[in-house]
Amino acid sequence: MSTCNRVEVYSVVKDLEDGTAQVKKFFSDFHDSVNPKEITPHLYVYSAEDAVRHIFRVASSLDSMVVGEPQILGQIKDAFEYSLSNEATGVILNRLFKKAISVAKMIRTETGIAESAVSVSYTAVELAKKIFEHLEDKAVMLVGAGEMSELAAKHLKNNGVKNVMVSTRTYQRAIKLAKEFNGKATKFEDFPSEMVNADIVICSTGAPHYLIRYDMVEQIIHQRRNRPVFFIDISVPRNIDPDINKIDNVYLYDIDDLQSVVEANRKEREKEGEKAEEIIRAEVSTFSNWFKTLEVVPTIVALKEKMEDIRKAELEKTISKLKNVTNEEKKSIENMASAIVNKIIHTPLIALKQETNSDDGALYIETIRKLFNLDKQLPHHEHKKKE
């Protein structure tokens, strides 16, 4: 699985040390035989429950640079589907990744980990929604074209804004950017008069002074008959006079305001992240319990097969010694033999299943195998694996 800040390999191995060495060799070979010793200091290795916990945290974005971001889950799905299509997964990885995806969805549903905006550009959109409630009929004007202002405009467009005006010092640049938004370009000297038509104004230029002044905004609000305007000043130094906040129905947020909201939202996400960690702890335990049952299945199958072999052998021996046995009597003897076998192994099997998830689960499995001498009798599917 490869993303912008991680490359991870998930694998099921019989021997952890050998398996880890093989993955390191893969990285080394892939990058033109880079010495594995050079790679090792930059790797992290998780196994067993730690590996399960890690993929659950990754899928839920708790391990991302931006907690709560949605992209990682899509990247995990893509990696899993690619592996499936290339027959590079088995029972354990299939179960693990399906569980990781369901855990991530559960966390997004049951916590607020993704609710608060943690980027400056998207925070601007969230604030605009609070001011206007609906954005579908609103118009936005870009004064200047910094990266964050463009991103904020894209977010606004994605949230329903249809009318976008662009004004930059280079008119050709404004025309090009306006095309991207299906909007309208305005000459830089004309933006003050055009601003009357904007409900949201995003300013991001390199000017060392105020471009949008108090008297200018006062006149605009009068022309708009007090319809509100939301100003976003992403410029450093500021390009909008902070005094315009004193005008009724004018709302101004500068870069410091936006970043303080982002920081508050990030802390809120961290709190929700604690709830997510609790969900993950419970789900790791559930997965581990399922995984332990895989260890007991071969023992149960081997025990049943051994008992069945004994039953058949003794049944044939007994019936061969009896003369004039009717089919009905033969059936009764067979039923009795089956009933005896089932009653003998019933209690050991129940105990084995119940203790599988306990700390002594492995001891119970080993004891059963020794008591019934099962290591010399592997189940049929184990014989196939050996072959």
Side-chain angles (χ1 to χ4, degrees), residues 216-233:
M216 190 188 294
V217 176
E218 195 174 38
Q219 185 180 347
I220 287 167
I221 283 293
H222 177 70
Q223 290 174 321
R224 287 173 59 86
R225 298 182 179 179
N226 283 324
R227 282 185 293 120
V229 184
F230 177 33
F231 288 91
I232 303 163
D233 190 356

Side-chain angles (χ1 to χ4, degrees), residues 10 61 74 84 106 142 170 185 224 300 311 322 324 349-350:
Y10 290 88
S61 82
L84 276 174
M106 187 191 309
L142 295 185
T170 307
R224 287 173 59 86
I300 291 172
R311 184 190 72 83
L322 297 173
N324 301 322
L349 289 182
I350 293 295

Side-chain angles (χ1 to χ4, degrees), residues 154-203:
K154 284 177 184 175
H155 286 317
L156 286 164
K157 189 89 174 160
N158 291 337
N159 280 268
V161 170
K162 293 181 177 63
N163 188 357
V164 178
M165 296 174 279
V166 181
S167 182
T168 66
R169 291 190 185 277
T170 307
Y171 188 53
Q172 289 305 316
R173 166 73 174 145
I175 292 172
K176 184 181 175 184
L177 196 55
K179 277 184 183 176
E180 289 182 25
F181 292 113
N182 253 348
K184 169 190 168 187
T186 300
K187 289 185 178 178
F188 198 69
E189 59 269 23
D190 295 334
F191 90 80
S193 59
E194 289 289 341
M195 208 161 41
V196 70
N197 299 312
D199 303 289
I200 302 164
V201 178
I202 304 173
C203 189

Side-chain angles (χ1 to χ4, degrees), residues 164-291:
V164 178
M165 296 174 279
V166 181
S167 182
T168 66
R169 291 190 185 277
T170 307
Y171 188 53
Q172 289 305 316
R173 166 73 174 145
I175 292 172
K176 184 181 175 184
L177 196 55
K179 277 184 183 176
E180 289 182 25
F181 292 113
N182 253 348
K184 169 190 168 187
T186 300
K187 289 185 178 178
F188 198 69
E189 59 269 23
D190 295 334
F191 90 80
S193 59
E194 289 289 341
M195 208 161 41
V196 70
N197 299 312
D199 303 289
I200 302 164
V201 178
I202 304 173
C203 189
S204 177
T205 79
H209 55 273
Y210 296 150
L211 290 174
I212 299 175
R213 303 181 308 277
Y214 183 93
D215 59 322
M216 190 188 294
V217 176
E218 195 174 38
Q219 185 180 347
I220 287 167
I221 283 293
H222 177 70
Q223 290 174 321
R224 287 173 59 86
R225 298 182 179 179
N226 283 324
R227 282 185 293 120
V229 184
F230 177 33
F231 288 91
I232 303 163
D233 190 356
I234 305 178
S235 315
V236 179
R238 291 180 178 183
N239 283 172
I240 303 178
D241 184 351
D243 282 347
I244 70 167
N245 249 332
K246 298 173 183 175
I247 303 171
D248 287 343
N249 289 319
V250 171
Y251 304 88
L252 169 64
Y253 279 80
D254 61 27
I255 190 71
D256 294 331
D257 297 326
L258 294 174
Q259 284 177 337
S260 66
V261 174
V262 164
E263 189 55 36
N265 288 348
R266 188 172 280 118
K267 286 178 180 175
E268 193 60 36
R269 281 197 180 190
E270 285 171 5
K271 283 183 190 174
E272 294 299 307
E274 291 170 15
K275 296 179 189 175
E277 296 284 8
E278 289 176 19
I279 292 172
I280 285 173
R281 274 192 288 273
E283 294 301 324
V284 167
S285 178
T286 300
F287 184 87
S288 296
N289 289 342
W290 169 80
F291 184 77

